[in-house]
């Protein structure tokens, strides 16, 4: 299938992009790796695409305060290749390398992935586990919300009409921190059936378990890892998960915990 | 595999066509651009079953839209069989009154480009009286099931029975009786290139010129001639480079009929390029079977009798030319596999459902049959407490019995099945795996080994297909050969290569016969205007049939050339022979090129009594028996199952294959590898599910999973060579084999891994979801 006709703009500044987005039927285009198929299938029929990948400030990646600033248009491949500073003891690069195929990673962006908010996407789970913040720019200024709040549901975010996700800020892990990330998918490069992510950072007093690829936003469990608390969270927050979903989510969380060293086999 | 020296039969000659393929210079339907060409998009039915109440087309667009009522005089596609009791379906090019599956064509929209054509389709509103859907082949046969074709009175294209009055007496001798139920998923063929058609009416020639991505150009022409009601001579079908077919491109599609009709109404070329969504959700469906099989054996595992009830989900219409019944007819005749036993009976039903017509896919029914039968053999082995390969050895047709007529009158031409199995067991190292299983895996996974052995009937001809009486019955395969003035050899065949490498292998045949340099051989195919009639490329037939025809045509050219050559050498024809592209006499040599040059350009140098037949021949060929070649193979898989996630990894995969004499062993290995990848897809990944309303639940490759490079292991292929006694060089058809064995071998390997848990798989694909459900059910 082919998209309906649309206009295309490629602004050079965030201000111009925000101005363009104020019109009806305008939509942000980043890497196009999710929006492209939606256009082709005519699931999205925008009147104007605002390509934000030529806005320099959205391409920056630098240490900022006690963390890392990633502009929204930094690609999965740049993260995979170590082109951004490592503040997560390798977690970001590891996760990036497991997203889709290289061709998708070359264009797909961290901001696009979060804004698309597919529950099965990797950054959705990973950045929730790392305790990252989302920075949103809009006509009425800028606001900052934790990623776990930015994601309000399956394919739903805190973005208001006309707003752009400017980037994410990821806190630096202490050197003693450990993490485990276990993605279960049916074939390499496929979207996940279940993702378990566990972070343990004793110096910052954090132990966190995140269950991703649910039917809604990720399930975040703060505090010591326990098989029982994971099962209980699946029961209470898993929505309409069937026996299979419960099982694979439990197992991926358990394996992530083992990799992070907070659970023994 | 290396093969023999040289460039004749048996040599692994690099594929000549790859030079253009690998440089991106192939010419596929999508590369054809004719001046003034417009694009078509089809409006497809969103409902599975219903009467069309009204079609509302905005007035301004009416001239760009075609609906069924506009196509006056165009006949529906009818793929009838001669099998008694067969019920005929009429598949109109555009739905007429009723729709019977989601994706059925409602309207044809034409515009300057595809996007615009889709805009038009989007502007059309269709109102339906929806009917309840038949979404499953078993439900189709329930008394209160809605009827697809009301006049039938039920939803069964054909019920066919293979019976044996003595069956019960024979089966009573058995002490072990095992019954199992199996399902194989509806799949979609996924050639890299989809279907596509460009059609144009040529005023000068008064001819419809049709470019189509097809593996059977002549059959498409016959089908179009029937539907459009115009003579064959008014239609020319050209198949350019074709990017994979697997059976899907052997079908006359309603889209082809519709586009061709349109081309005859308008003054510009028209084009339809199938997209992946159309292919997956509306077109390339295949493979869906259900079996209840009972095996009767003695306490050693010797099979005594086998009975089955099998359903094939044939979808809404009988597809042209293979019909809705080829699949089930095959099930009834090939279920006994490569085994010898006393009693057999089988009833099959081809159910009509509100789904796209089922089409033959590489291996056709064999993949499902092999899965059902080979899982039964392992079940017997478990029951009698023996190694599955030992039980197979007890039951295989021995080499000493060849040629062998089996219980369903299949004529196994040659081979050593027990030896093939023995080599597979050795290659995968069953004893080594047993020792490793006893130790257990450090990562907690469970490993298992599985086998399958089967034969592949190829190149079956008139005697087999006339029995089925489908629209297409292969006869003699023909080749036209001619030497050109500069000594090139043109070979014209009606079959078409859709990736098999015929431009190479048929040149090798010419080289074998005439010694002519393969670079001087040009294959002309894929054009009804230039090639002799043929049913085309399907059923692993080309190397046997076209290969045989090319050999015979080359022999005939050789004889003609020898006569002229003898004249030029001033000797008699008895004293010359053909060697390395030359006519050789004791006293001298003249090349084929020189003979051709003289014949065409210097006829004055020839004596008046020269044989006037010239250097152009058309020869028809059939093997000595046309019941088909039987290549065969044993597949052996080692898998690791993660019992907590239901994930299956293939750790090792070995194949022992006997395709008779291999014309180009490297190409054969490619065929086997590619087929095996597809078989792995059938085993573990590929599924086109439908909901109870008949809605397809996969429409992109994100939902329809194909195995990728990570999922397909390095397959080790070993060869045996038992020539066919009936073919030109002893070659056998081998194009489908790879796709047949994997679900059975992998299914058996998984069952072996999970033996202690009491789990047996019963449905394809074996997904984590299915496997965990089985594991959980076994645990409670
Ligand atoms: C074959 C395939 C496999 C894939 N597998 C995976 C996988 O395993 N794991 C995974 O995580 N992802 C996977 N993806 C998705 C991929 O990671 C995409 O890159 C990502 O989902 C979207 O990023 P994008 O930059 O391409 O966004 P786009 O497609 O350009 O946009 C996506 C959506 O977000 C909006 N948007 C984009 N950027 C912004 C912004 N800065 N502010 C506001 N709105 C914005 C767009 O308007 C659109 O609605 C896969 C994609 C493909 C095609």
């Amino acid at each position: 299938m082919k998209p309906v006709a649309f206009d295309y703009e490629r602004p050079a500044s965030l201000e111009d992009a925000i101005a363009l987005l104020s019109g009806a039927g305008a939509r942000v285009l980043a890497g196009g790796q999710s929006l492209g198929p939606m256009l082709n299938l005519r699931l999205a029929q925008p009147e104007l695409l605002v390509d934000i990948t030529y806005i320099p400030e959205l391409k920056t990646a630098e240490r900022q305060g006690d963390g890392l600033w990633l502009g929204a248009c930094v690609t999965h491949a740049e993260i995979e290749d170590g082109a951004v500073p490592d503040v997560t003891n390798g977690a970001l690069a590891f996760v990036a390398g497991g997203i889709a195929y290289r061709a998708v990673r070359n264009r797909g962006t961290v901001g696009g992935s979060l804004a698309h908010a597919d529950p099965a996407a990797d950054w959705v789970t990973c950045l929730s586990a790392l305790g990252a913040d989302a920075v949103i720019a809009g006509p009425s200024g800028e606001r900052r919300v934790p990623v776990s709040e930015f994601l309000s549901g399956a394919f739903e975010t805190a973005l208001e009409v006309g707003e752009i996700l400017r980037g994410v800020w990821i806190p630096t892990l202490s050197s003693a921190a450990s993490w485990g990330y276990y993605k279960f998918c049916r074939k390499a490069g496929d979207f996940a059936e279940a993702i378990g992510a566990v972070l343990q950072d004793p110096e910052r007093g954090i132990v966190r378990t995140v269950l991703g690829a649910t039917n809604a936003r990720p399930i975040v469990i703060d505090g010591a890892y326990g098989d029982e608390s994971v099962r209980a969270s699946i029961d209470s927050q898993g929505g309409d998960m069937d026996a299979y979903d419960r099982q694979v989510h439990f197992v991926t969380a358990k394996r992530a915990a083992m990799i992070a060293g907070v659970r023994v086999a | 595999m290396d093969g023999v020296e040289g460039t004749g039969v048996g040599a692994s000659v690099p594929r000549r066509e790859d030079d253009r393929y690998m440089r991106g210079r192939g010419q596929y339907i999508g590369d054809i651009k004719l001046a003034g060409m417009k694009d078509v998009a089809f409006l497809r039915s969103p409902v599975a079953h219903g009467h069309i109440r009204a079609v509302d087309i905005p007035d301004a667009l009416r001239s760009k839209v075609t609906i069924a009522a506009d196509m006056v005089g165009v006949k529906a596609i009818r793929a009838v069989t001669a099998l008694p009791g067969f019920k005929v379906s009429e598949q109109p090019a555009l739905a007429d009154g009723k729709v019977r599956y989601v994706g059925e064509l409602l309207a044809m929209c034409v515009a300057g480009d595809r996007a615009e054509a889709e805009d038009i389709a989007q502007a059309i509103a269709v109102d339906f009286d929806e009917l309840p859907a038949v979404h499953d082949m078993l439900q189709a046969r329930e008394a209160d099931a809605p009827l697809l074709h009301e006049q039938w009175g039920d939803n069964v294209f054909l019920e066919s029975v293979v019976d044996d009055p003595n069956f019960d007496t024979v089966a009573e001798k058995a002490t072990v009786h095992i019954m199992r139920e199996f399902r194989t998923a509806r799949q979609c063929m996924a050639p890299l290139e989809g279907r596509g058609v460009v059609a144009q009416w040529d005023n000068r020639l008064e001819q419809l010129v049709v470019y189509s991505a097809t593996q059977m150009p002549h059959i498409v022409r016959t089908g179009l001639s029937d539907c459009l009601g115009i003579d064959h001579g008014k239609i020319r079908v050209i198949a350019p480079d074709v990017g994979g077919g697997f059976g899907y491109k052997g079908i006359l599609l309603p889209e082809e009929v519709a586009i061709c009709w349109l081309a005859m109404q308008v003054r510009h070329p028209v084009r339809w390029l199938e997209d992946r969504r159309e292919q997956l959700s509306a077109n390339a469906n295949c493979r869906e079977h259900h079996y209840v099989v009972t095996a009767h054996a003695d306490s050693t595992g010797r099979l005594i009798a086998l009975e089955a009830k099998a359903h094939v989900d044939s979808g809404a219409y009988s597809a042209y030319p293979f019909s809705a019944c080829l699949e089930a007819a095959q099930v009834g005749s090939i279920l006994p596999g490569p085994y010898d036993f006393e009693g057999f009976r089988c009833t099959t039903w081809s159910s009509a459902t509100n789904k796209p017509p089922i089409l033959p896919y590489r291996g056709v029914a064999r993949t499902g049959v092999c899965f059902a039968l080979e899982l039964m053999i392992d079940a017997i082995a478990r029951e009698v407490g023996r190694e599955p390969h030992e039980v197979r050895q007890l039951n295989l047709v021995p080499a000493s019995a060849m040629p062998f007529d089996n219980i369903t009158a299949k004529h196994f031409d040659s081979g050593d099945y027990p030896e093939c199995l023995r080599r597979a067991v050795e290659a995968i190292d069953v004893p080594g795996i047993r020792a490793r299983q006893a130790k257990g895996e450090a990562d907690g996974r469970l490993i298992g080994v599985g086998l399958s052995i089967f034969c592949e009937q190829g190149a079956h001809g008139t005697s087999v297909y006339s029995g089925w009486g489908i629209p297409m019955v292969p006869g003699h395969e023909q080749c036209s050969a001619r030497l050109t003035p500069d000594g090139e050899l043109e070979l014209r065949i009606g079959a078409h290569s859709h990736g098999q490498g015929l431009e190479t292998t048929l040149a090798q045949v010419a080289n074998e016969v005439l010694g002519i340099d393969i670079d001087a051989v040009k294959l002309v195919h894929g054009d009804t205007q230039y090639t002799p009639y043929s049913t085309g490329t399907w059923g692993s037939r080309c190397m046997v049939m076209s290969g045989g025809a090319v050999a015979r045509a080359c022999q005939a050219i050789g004889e003609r050339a020898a006569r002229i050559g003898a004249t030029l050498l001033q000797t008699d024809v008895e004293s010359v022979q053909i060697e390395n592209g030359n006519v050789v006499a004791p006293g001298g040599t003249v090349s084929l090129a020189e003979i051709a040059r003289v014949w065409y350009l210097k006829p004055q140098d020839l004596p008046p009594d020269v044989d006037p037949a010239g250097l152009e021949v058309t020869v028809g060929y059939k093997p000595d028996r046309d019941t088909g070649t039987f290549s065969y193979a044993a597949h052996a898989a080692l898998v690791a199952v993660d019992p907590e996630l239901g994930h299956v990894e293939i750790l090792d995969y070995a194949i022992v294959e006997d395709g008779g004499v291999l014309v180009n062993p490297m190409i054969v290995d490619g065929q086997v590898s590619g087929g095996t990848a597809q078989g792995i897809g059938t085993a573990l990944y590929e599924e086109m599910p439908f909901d109870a309303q008949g809605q397809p639940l996969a429409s992109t490759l994100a939902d329809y999973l194909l195995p990728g490079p990570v999922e397909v292991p390095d397959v080790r292929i070993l060869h045996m060579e038992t020539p066919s006694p009936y073919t030109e060089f002893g070659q056998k058809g081998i194009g489908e084999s790879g796709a047949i064995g994997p679900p059975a071998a992998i299914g058996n390997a998984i069952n072996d891994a999970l033996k202690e848990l009491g789990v047996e798989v019963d449905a394809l694909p074996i997904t984590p979801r299915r496997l965990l459900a089985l594991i959980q059910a076994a645990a409670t």
Side-chain angles (χ1 to χ4, degrees):
Chain A
M1 293 183 78
K2 302 287 179 214
V4 295
F6 53 80
D7 288 327
Y8 172 86
E9 294 283 356
R10 201 168 68 192
S13 75
L14 197 54
E15 295 68 40
D16 289 351
I18 290 170
L20 285 165
L21 284 168
S22 64
R27 183 141 186 187
V28 173
L29 172 70
Q33 298 305 294
S34 296
L35 188 51
M38 289 162 66
L39 290 170
N40 280 341
L41 294 170
R42 299 197 166 199
L43 295 171
Q45 305 196 355
E47 277 159 38
L48 169 67
L49 284 186
V50 181
D51 183 344
I52 59 170
T53 57
Y54 280 70
I55 300 174
E57 71 170 282
L58 298 184
K59 298 285 296 169
T60 56
E62 63 203 12
R63 287 178 195 273
Q64 199 180 79
D66 194 15
L68 170 71
W69 168 255
L70 278 185
C73 291
V74 172
T75 62
H76 312 327
E78 285 162 340
I79 299 171
E80 174 185 21
D81 295 346
V84 308
D86 179 19
V87 300
T88 60
N89 302 347
L92 290 182
F94 174 84
V95 170
I99 298 173
Y101 317 95
R102 181 72 195 196
V104 173
R105 299 197 288 272
N106 282 339
R107 297 196 68 93
T109 65
V110 66
S113 194
L114 279 185
H116 187 55
D118 183 334
D122 288 87
W123 293 131
V124 163
T125 302
C126 167
L127 295 179
S128 297
L130 291 171
D133 287 341
V135 177
I136 300 168
S140 48
E142 200 166 281
R143 55 199 182 97
R144 185 174 180 127
V145 291
V147 164
S148 54
E149 281 172 34
F150 174 82
L151 301 162
S152 46
F155 303 100
E156 282 171 17
T157 67
L159 283 172
E160 304 281 347
V161 177
E163 284 186 327
I164 292 180
L165 176 62
R166 238 191 80 201
V168 290
W169 182 85
I170 299 156
T172 302
L173 299 189
S174 65
S175 56
S178 62
W179 53 269
Y181 188 84
Y182 197 95
K183 174 180 176 181
F184 173 49
C185 46
R186 287 185 56 200
K187 59 177 267 197
D190 189 20
F191 275 102
E193 303 272 291
I195 301 174
V198 171
L199 172 68
Q200 169 177 248
D201 194 345
E203 284 177 28
R204 291 163 59 230
I206 296 173
V207 184
R208 186 180 295 130
T209 305
V210 178
L211 280 60
T214 63
N215 303 322
R217 62 181 178 176
I219 299 174
V220 180
I221 309 165
D222 276 307
Y225 173 88
D227 286 351
E228 287 323 305
S229 68
V230 170
R231 286 191 196 280
S233 302
I234 290 174
D235 286 341
S236 60
Q237 296 172 58
D240 50 3
M241 281 193 190
D242 63 13
Y244 168 78
D245 286 328
R246 284 161 200 266
Q247 164 84 0
V248 294
H249 281 87
F250 171 72
V251 173
T252 51
K254 185 181 77 171
R255 291 190 182 174
M258 278 167 16
I259 296 165
V262 303
R263 184 191 187 277
V264 285
Chain B
M1 202 176 144
D2 297 338
V4 304
E5 298 276 302
T7 55
V9 167
S12 284
V13 177
R15 304 197 330 164
R16 303 162 76 203
E17 44 272 78
D18 282 348
D19 186 69
R20 69 175 187 277
Y21 293 160
M22 302 311 284
R23 293 180 205 277
R25 292 178 191 156
Q27 196 191 38
Y28 300 90
I29 288 291
D31 298 310
I32 293 170
K33 300 200 169 59
L34 304 182
M37 183 170 75
K38 295 196 174 186
D39 269 307
V40 159
F42 289 99
L43 176 67
R44 291 172 181 274
S45 177
V47 305
H49 200 190
H51 293 288
I52 301 168
R53 207 184 312 157
V55 182
D56 184 18
I57 308 163
D59 286 344
L61 301 177
R62 186 64 187 87
S63 65
K64 298 173 178 174
V65 177
T66 304
I67 56 173
D70 300 326
M71 294 179 65
V72 178
V74 176
K75 291 205 213 89
I77 297 172
R78 291 172 100 243
V80 180
T81 84
L83 297 168
F86 176 78
K87 302 194 197 82
V88 182
S89 67
E90 304 253 339
Q91 181 182 21
L94 299 178
D96 192 3
K98 195 178 179 189
V99 288
R100 296 186 178 85
Y101 63 92
V102 172
E104 189 165 355
L105 307 182
L106 290 169
M108 171 165 56
C109 310
V110 64
D113 64 36
R114 173 71 180 244
E116 214 186 302
E118 287 181 20
D119 290 345
I120 297 171
Q122 202 175 308
I124 302 172
V126 183
D127 202 8
F128 298 94
D129 277 328
E130 272 197 64
L131 297 166
V134 178
H135 61 91
D136 178 80
M137 58 191 141
L138 301 184
Q139 175 226 352
R141 291 191 51 236
E142 287 168 4
D144 58 349
L147 295 180
L148 268 88
H149 305 279
E150 286 82 0
Q151 68 280 17
W152 291 7
D154 63 14
N155 289 318
V156 181
F157 280 102
L158 181 70
E159 173 180 333
S160 73
V161 181
V162 178
D163 205 4
D164 172 357
N166 296 322
F167 184 88
D168 291 318
T169 328
V170 173
E172 264 168 33
K173 292 191 273 181
T175 49
V176 174
H177 308 275
I178 293 177
M179 190 174 96
R180 293 287 187 277
E181 187 174 345
F182 302 105
R183 245 180 204 274
T184 64
R186 185 165 271 251
Q187 280 183 246
C188 285
M189 292 173 264
L192 271 184
E193 180 207 31
R195 291 293 297 255
V197 194
V198 174
Q200 178 178 28
W201 180 259
D202 185 315
N203 274 319
R204 181 176 64 85
L205 300 173
E206 280 194 51
Q207 202 178 38
L208 179 68
V209 181
V210 185
Y211 298 83
S212 182
T214 176
Q215 53 197 79
M216 295 158 55
H218 291 272
I219 295 297
V220 168
R221 183 163 73 149
T222 297
L224 286 173
S225 162
D226 286 349
C227 291
L228 299 173
I230 56 174
D231 298 342
H232 277 65
K234 284 209 157 61
I235 307 171
R236 174 180 178 190
V237 177
I238 300 168
D241 282 329
V242 175
F246 312 120
Y248 179 37
K249 292 182 183 157
I251 301 301
L252 176 72
L253 290 181
E255 288 88 342
E256 281 175 307
V257 177
I259 287 276
C260 288
W261 177 85
L262 184 62
M264 292 167 65
Q265 319 303 312
V266 295
R267 290 171 178 275
H268 53 77
V270 284
R271 168 173 84 163
W272 167 67
L273 286 183
E274 179 185 62
D275 67 24
R276 193 63 71 179
R277 190 179 205 213
E278 295 179 291
Q279 179 182 95
L280 286 174
S281 58
N283 272 350
N285 284 222
C286 55
R287 287 259 197 277
E288 193 173 11
H289 298 186
H290 175 270
Y291 298 85
V292 177
V293 190
T294 309
H296 307 274
D298 72 12
S299 60
T300 67
R302 180 79 178 94
L303 194 56
I304 290 167
L306 189 76
E307 59 186 312
K309 293 187 187 320
H311 285 80
V312 171
D313 189 325
S314 296
Y317 298 104
S318 180
Y320 186 97
F322 290 101
S323 92
C325 297
L326 177 71
E327 193 101 2
Q330 271 205 359
V331 170
S333 65
I334 65 178
L335 195 59
Y339 302 111
D340 179 22
F341 52 86
E342 221 184 312
F344 179 65
R345 71 181 176 203
C346 178
T347 306
T348 60
W349 293 270
S350 302
S351 293
T353 59
N354 289 113
K355 301 182 195 173
I358 199 153
L359 312 177
Y361 176 29
R362 199 176 203 173
V364 198
R366 286 170 203 284
T367 305
V369 162
C370 180
F371 176 68
L373 178 64
E374 290 295 276
L375 263 65
M376 290 306 289
I377 300 287
D378 270 39
I380 295 171
R382 278 192 296 276
E383 185 71 22
V384 302
R386 298 187 72 171
E387 273 287 356
H389 65 87
E390 292 172 11
V391 170
R392 285 190 174 79
Q393 289 291 6
L394 277 184
N395 292 297
L396 286 170
V397 173
S400 58
M402 294 292 178
F404 179 80
D405 291 310
N406 89 342
I407 194 161
T408 53
K410 292 278 168 192
H411 183 79
F412 298 168
D413 52 355
S414 63
D416 189 341
Y417 301 174
E419 176 62 14
C420 177
L421 182 68
R422 200 193 58 71
R423 291 192 195 183
V425 167
E426 187 177 280
I428 202 82
D429 188 14
V430 171
I433 293 169
R434 295 291 174 233
R436 182 171 160 187
Q437 281 175 316
K439 280 199 277 181
E441 298 294 299
D443 60 11
R445 291 192 297 178
L446 301 166
I447 64 161
V449 62
L451 297 164
S452 64
I453 181 162
F454 55 90
C455 28
E456 173 192 0
Q457 187 179 12
H460 24 343
T462 317
S463 62
V464 178
Y465 276 82
S466 59
W468 291 336
I470 61 174
M472 173 201 87
V473 178
H476 282 84
E477 192 70 17
Q478 302 177 96
C479 170
S480 299
R482 73 175 176 216
L483 283 173
T484 60
D486 44 13
E488 281 210 342
L489 178 67
E490 280 180 10
L491 300 173
R492 295 158 189 269
I493 60 157
H496 193 47
S497 181
H498 44 285
Q500 293 89 342
L502 292 177
E503 289 169 48
T504 304
T505 49
L506 294 178
Q508 288 180 252
V509 169
N511 171 268
E512 183 72 26
V513 175
L514 294 172
I516 189 168
D517 188 339
I518 59 168
D519 289 332
V521 181
K522 170 138 184 58
L523 184 69
V524 177
H525 65 341
D527 191 333
T528 56
Q529 194 83 348
Y530 294 136
T531 63
Y533 198 91
S534 165
T535 56
T537 299
W538 54 273
S540 299
R541 64 193 299 278
C542 284
M543 212 53 246
V544 172
M545 300 304 299
S546 302
V550 165
R552 294 290 165 89
C554 288
Q555 287 157 13
I557 284 281
E559 285 160 21
R560 299 266 185 92
R563 283 201 287 276
I564 300 171
T567 317
L568 296 176
L569 294 169
Q570 296 178 349
T571 178
D572 52 276
V573 71
E574 282 74 35
S575 51
V576 301
Q577 56 197 45
I578 306 276
E579 267 171 32
N580 297 324
N582 298 312
V583 172
V584 181
T589 286
V590 57
S591 68
L592 292 175
E594 177 60 15
I595 291 168
R597 196 183 68 84
V598 174
W599 172 260
Y600 292 109
L601 306 178
K602 291 253 178 199
Q604 64 271 33
D605 292 354
L606 294 166
D609 62 344
V610 67
D611 177 357
L615 295 172
E616 186 163 347
V617 299
T618 297
V619 177
Y621 168 80
K622 259 191 198 185
D624 301 341
R625 266 191 80 119
D626 73 357
T627 49
T629 58
F630 281 77
S631 58
Y632 58 97
H635 285 211
L638 172 64
V639 304
V641 182
D642 179 335
E644 285 192 317
L645 290 175
H647 184 258
V648 176
E649 185 190 352
I650 302 170
L651 302 177
D652 190 14
Y653 204 99
I655 295 174
V656 181
E657 178 79 61
D658 188 345
V661 172
L662 306 183
V663 171
N664 183 321
M666 177 199 72
I667 288 182
V668 168
D669 280 357
Q671 289 289 313
V672 175
S673 301
T676 303
Q678 292 173 314
I680 289 171
T682 304
L684 298 175
Y685 302 103
E686 297 183 38
E687 179 168 21
M688 169 54 70
F690 285 78
D691 69 13
Q693 284 70 48
Q695 290 291 335
L697 300 179
S699 66
T700 72
L701 293 178
D703 333 292
Y704 186 84
L705 292 195
L706 293 168
V710 177
E711 288 72 43
V712 179
D714 278 335
V715 175
R716 295 185 284 135
I717 304 170
L718 310 170
H719 292 277
M720 290 169 53
E721 184 183 298
T722 317
S724 165
Y726 307 126
T727 63
E728 187 68 21
F729 302 103
Q731 76 271 41
K732 298 185 177 189
I734 202 187
E736 300 165 84
S737 155
I740 298 170
I746 292 167
N748 278 331
I750 292 170
N751 285 346
D752 184 53
L754 301 180
K755 199 162 47 178
E756 303 302 323
L757 305 181
V759 165
E760 276 190 28
V761 303
D762 56 1
L764 296 174
I766 307 162
T767 59
R769 184 179 286 277
R770 290 205 171 93
L771 213 41
L772 285 187
L774 290 168
I775 291 171
Q776 266 160 14
T780 52

